[in-house]
Amino acid sequence: QMAVFLLSSKYGSDYTPPPATGIFDDVPAGSSFADWIEQLYNEGITGGCSQDPLLYCPENPVTRAQMAVFLLSSKYGSDYTPPPATGIFDDVPAGSSFADWIEDLFNRGITGGCDTNPLRYCPDSSVTRASMAVFLVVTFDL
């Protein structure tokens, strides 16, 4: 579902991705979201959850940390690199793997985090459909 949300927000509600070829071992071509998932991969927005074998893990929840990368990569392209983090969130140290992405999301006004006193992002929490709606509307000016 997340793949559909991201690509529809990026390209519009009429967008239809090309047919899947079955590149992920756990997402067979013809399955309900395969076209969308493979397009995310083909655009460099995701690398999946495993490289050998290539897996997507379609049943895994998406964390708020992962969503920061998905949103910014979808909007600005797979070559986008956010500015270095400074450590503004209590629960996201500046050197952590998603910190640059998370702080960029905050600095762009896409998120205010999950708590303000102290400022926290809750990077390991799953993204709800409600939160996803807000992320998409704000990121893509919908």
Side-chain angles (χ1 to χ4, degrees), residues 1 3-4 27 31-38:
Q1 291 173 325
V4 175
V27 182
S31 63
S32 53
F33 297 109
D35 300 349
W36 300 90
I37 290 168
E38 285 193 19

Side-chain angles (χ1 to χ4, degrees), residues 30-106:
S31 63
S32 53
F33 297 109
D35 300 349
W36 300 90
I37 290 168
E38 285 193 19
Q39 188 60 27
L40 272 190
Y41 178 82
N42 291 335
E43 290 190 22
I45 296 168
T46 186
C49 66
S50 170
Q51 296 303 303
D52 190 19
L54 187 58
L55 300 173
Y56 182 74
C57 302
E59 300 302 319
N60 287 2
V62 175
T63 67
R64 288 173 53 86
Q66 293 167 327
M67 186 48 56
V69 178
F70 285 156
L71 288 167
L72 295 172
S73 293
S74 293
K75 179 149 184 166
Y76 299 110
S78 61
D79 292 337
Y80 178 71
T81 302
T86 60
I88 61 173
F89 289 102
D90 250 26
D91 58 349
V92 183
S96 62
S97 57
F98 293 102
D100 298 350
W101 299 92
I102 291 167
E103 285 194 22
D104 196 22
L105 212 62
F106 176 83

Side-chain angles (χ1 to χ4, degrees), residues 115-127:
D115 200 359
T116 57
N117 192 14
L119 185 59
R120 295 181 330 115
Y121 182 75
C122 302
D124 298 325
S125 295
S126 296
V127 178

Side-chain angles (χ1 to χ4, degrees), residues 64 67-68 71-72 75-76 101-113 121 131-132 134-141:
R64 288 173 53 86
M67 186 48 56
L71 288 167
L72 295 172
K75 179 149 184 166
Y76 299 110
W101 299 92
I102 291 167
E103 285 194 22
D104 196 22
L105 212 62
F106 176 83
N107 292 331
R108 290 176 181 279
I110 296 169
T111 186
Y121 182 75
S131 294
M132 188 62 197
V134 174
F135 281 144
L136 293 170
V137 167
V138 176
T139 301
F140 294 97
D141 301 317

